[in-house]
Amino acid sequence: MELAARTIALPTHRSAPSYYFEMSRITIRIKDSGPAIISPEDAPHVIILDANDVELKVAEGKPIKICRCGHSLKRPFCDGAHKTCGLDLSVVPQESYAPPATPTT
């Protein structure tokens, strides 16, 4: 018995339910007084969307560096502006992170 080949149209990241795609663990390293960095190995698993849900392209084989100081001219990406802006972006050690409670009205 022969099996018939068939093509399946997979949904895009915008139309698929969040549970559709397999989850991968991605490490984001926060540098003291520097950017948040996603490694070149993890970068292909990351989708960065702007405020209008337009996907921002990133260079293949390179880490993704996300600006934390707010002074980059390439936001959301880092351009090294943190080196001269004078902000202290030191990471405060924490045992675990809990998001702020949502106020109830």
Side-chain angles (χ1 to χ4, degrees), residues 9-104:
L10 296 175
T12 67
H13 65 274
R14 289 183 185 88
S15 64
S18 59
Y19 58 81
Y20 186 85
F21 296 100
E22 182 180 323
M23 298 296 290
S24 298
R25 280 181 66 108
I26 295 173
T27 300
I28 301 174
R29 296 194 187 286
I30 307 296
K31 291 188 70 173
D32 273 344
S33 296
I37 301 174
I38 300 167
S39 74
E41 296 78 26
D42 285 341
H45 305 289
V46 175
I47 297 170
I48 300 175
L49 303 176
D50 71 7
N52 297 313
D53 283 344
V54 174
E55 186 173 344
L56 302 176
K57 300 296 179 192
V58 295
E60 286 186 35
K62 304 256 182 183
I64 299 173
K65 297 179 180 181
I66 303 293
C67 174
R68 294 194 312 127
C69 74
H71 290 269
S72 174
L73 297 177
K74 296 181 176 183
R75 281 189 312 258
F77 304 107
C78 176
D79 67 359
H82 60 274
K83 296 173 185 171
T84 59
C85 73
L87 290 176
D88 179 12
L89 300 171
S90 300
V91 177
V92 178
Q94 300 179 14
E95 294 211 10
S96 64
Y97 172 76
T102 305
T104 55

